[in-house]
Amino acid sequence: MYTVPDQSGTFAVVTGSNSGTGKEAARRLAEAGARVVLAVRTPAKGELARAEILARHPGARVEVRRIDLADLASVEAFAGEVLADGTPLDLLVNNAGVMAPPTRMTTADGFELQFGSNFLGPLALTVRLLPALLAARAPRVATMSSGTANFGRIDFTDLQWERRRYNPMLSYAQSKLADLMLARHLAVLAAENDWPLRSTAAHPGYTKTNLQTAGASLGTGRPSLGNRMMYAVDFLPKQEVGPGTEPLLQAATSPDATAGGYYGPGGRFGLVGPGKQVRITRRALDPAANARLWARAEELTGVGRASAVTAAR
């Protein structure tokens, strides 16, 4: 089992931390001594997660703040609160996401939901939090991707699935490939600008959380018959949340994690087992494509100016 290094004095933000890998990561960071912000869309669920963490670790420093990554105004407001605190941000864990809603849905800003929530929102948050991150001595950003990134394609002519027929899983794969490209390009920006920031990525393999069913229920209230049948006959190896969170924790805290590195399970089919550094799909190894996607995301989210100001510091 991966042991999180001492996090005393560390200030961390973990998105999507009311359940699943986010809650587990927040708990183990807090257990190791970090002050952790549970960045969640529904504060009531965040408070339940906080209570669970405190029940196990009464001395944990955990607080709940609201953010909706599908709403850029919410992202800006959340980042503004963190910056107003004046506390250097040592660690940002971009964990939150939505998976495979059955029909094409959109964010508050009109973006396709998976591309907007899983990629554009986290990128906007990362850029807006750069001043707080760069005020820390050795800041880190760990971004959750997915094994489905291996099947993803970035269609720059139709990022929002407006021309093509919407496909839930291919849309999800595109958004998770975009997350991996985000982590890779952020590492390049850090090197180019001589920032002390370390950007990494992870995937959980096949970890049993509510991500699969929650996304499949959006807009309908319950998963489709096809979705239920798929999971009923699913014989793939899978693991619990504890081991499934370890690659993310390695990416976020291991002193050996490399800039731009990618971490995932090292067992059967890359779905289960102890975390290790894993192969990166070639589609995330093209620096020009990564830079192009980042620039397009800055345009779509309106954070380009914030990025330029931070880089000039």
Side-chain angles (χ1 to χ4, degrees):
M1 184 173 186
Y2 176 71
T3 301
V4 176
D6 181 24
Q7 298 295 301
S8 298
T10 296
F11 178 38
V13 168
V14 183
T15 66
S17 42
N18 61 281
S19 66
T21 56
K23 183 172 70 173
E24 178 71 6
R27 180 187 69 80
R28 289 169 67 175
L29 288 168
E31 181 182 30
R35 171 194 166 201
V36 183
V37 171
L38 306 181
V40 300
R41 186 178 60 186
T42 307
K45 294 181 179 179
E47 292 294 347
L48 289 175
R50 178 177 180 271
E52 289 181 30
I53 294 171
L54 290 175
R56 295 183 63 171
H57 309 288
R61 294 183 298 159
V62 185
E63 60 192 90
V64 176
R65 298 193 188 185
R66 184 182 185 277
I67 185 171
D68 183 353
L69 290 164
D71 183 345
L72 292 176
S74 175
V75 171
E76 183 175 7
F78 175 90
E81 290 179 4
V82 174
L83 296 177
D85 285 349
T87 304
L89 179 60
D90 301 283
L91 173 62
L92 170 62
V93 181
N94 287 318
N95 165 79
V98 60
M99 180 178 180
T103 60
R104 184 184 182 277
M105 304 175 71
T106 56
T107 69
D109 304 283
F111 303 122
E112 188 274 316
L113 183 62
Q114 296 190 90
F115 191 72
S117 297
N118 296 353
F119 169 63
L120 292 178
L123 184 139
L125 177 64
T126 301
V127 172
R128 291 196 179 280
L129 288 177
L130 275 176
L133 286 161
L134 298 183
R137 181 182 59 83
R140 299 176 69 148
V141 177
T143 300
M144 184 70 98
S145 181
S146 165
T148 61
N150 292 334
F151 310 105
R153 303 286 190 280
I154 303 296
D155 185 345
F156 283 100
T157 68
D158 190 23
L159 292 172
Q160 310 297 333
W161 293 83
E162 295 170 310
R163 301 177 183 177
R164 295 169 288 171
R165 181 179 179 181
Y166 173 77
N167 182 296
M169 285 306 302
L170 291 182
S171 171
Y172 180 70
Q174 175 185 254
S175 72
K176 292 286 125 180
L177 172 59
D179 282 335
L180 186 50
M181 295 167 74
L182 179 163
R184 296 283 296 175
H185 189 63
L186 182 57
V188 169
L189 289 176
E192 290 177 346
N193 291 281
D194 198 26
W195 296 340
L197 184 149
R198 193 182 330 184
S199 172
T200 56
H203 79 83
Y206 195 166
T207 295
K208 294 188 287 184
T209 71
N210 67 351
L211 180 65
Q212 297 90 352
T213 54
S217 302
L218 285 175
T220 63
R222 62 179 306 193
S224 67
L225 176 60
N227 181 272
R228 298 197 302 275
M229 291 178 63
M230 179 179 69
Y231 287 107
V233 298
D234 179 10
F235 298 108
L236 290 172
K238 53 186 73 69
Q239 61 190 0
E240 299 298 329
V241 170
T245 306
E246 297 203 346
L248 181 61
L249 287 168
Q250 286 178 297
T253 67
S254 173
D256 300 322
T258 59
Y262 189 33
Y263 296 82
R268 286 181 296 166
F269 310 120
L271 297 176
V272 297
K276 69 171 189 176
Q277 191 161 359
V278 296
R279 183 185 66 85
I280 298 172
T281 176
R282 62 179 178 80
R283 296 184 185 88
L285 293 174
D286 182 349
N290 295 350
R292 181 184 179 190
L293 182 63
W294 182 286
R296 183 64 182 133
E298 285 189 335
E299 294 172 3
L300 291 170
T301 60
V303 298
R305 180 175 298 179
S307 178
V309 169
T310 303
R313 293 186 176 185

